[in-house]
Amino acid sequence: MPHINASNRRTSPAQIAAAAVLLLLTVLADATGSAAKRTTQRTNLAVDATVTGKSLKDGFVVTFTVRITNEGPENAEGVLLETIADAGILTILSERRIQATNDARCHVAILACEIGDLAADDVVTIRIVTKVTTSETVTVGLEFRIASQTIDSVPFDNRYYSSAFVPGR
């Protein structure tokens, strides 16, 4: 049965079907464009950690060096570095100091740094210098994790975690 449109003209079923196909193609094209926008690489963050100090003798100094890199192409906003460590490990790392190559706000008690915005192709280096205070045989390891407020829709090429260990004697 034909339909009557606003101008009192009859619309055939073939015209309705053609309009539906055109609408579907328009929606698919828009969705494809939106998907392409969603998968655009925004940032490419990486964290790499190393440690110096091969002995865990009481009183020895251990330095963890953490490099946070944004390989771009856009700025990463609100970058945060946090340390994942057992509370027992933190108790044997005394006299902790944190040095950063930017204006990061670092929190010595929890070994975390608010790096802030990190420009594309920029690198921030964080050094955590600490003294070992234990006579026990332990392995000291810290795991570092980074996060950003910038949503990267291609996250599989980011390295959000890195670990560094000093084996027990």
Side-chain angles (χ1 to χ4, degrees), residues 45-48 65-70 76 79 81 98-106 113-119 121-127 146:
L45 293 173
V47 59
D48 296 296
T65 302
V66 185
R67 286 177 40 101
I68 299 98
T69 308
N70 177 13
V79 177
L81 171 72
I98 300 178
Q99 305 159 335
T101 58
N102 74 342
D103 295 330
R105 290 182 20 190
C106 296
C113 292
E114 299 171 61
I115 295 167
D117 296 348
L118 191 58
D121 299 320
D122 205 1
V123 176
V124 171
T125 302
I126 308 283
R127 284 190 180 76
I146 55 172

Side-chain angles (χ1 to χ4, degrees), residues 7 11 28 39 41-42 54 56 65 68 75 86 99 108-109 129 132 139 141:
S7 62
T11 305
L28 288 174
T39 57
Q41 181 74 34
R42 295 196 61 197
K54 300 300 178 192
L56 285 179
T65 302
I68 299 98
N75 295 348
D86 182 277
Q99 305 159 335
V108 175
V129 181
V132 176
T139 296

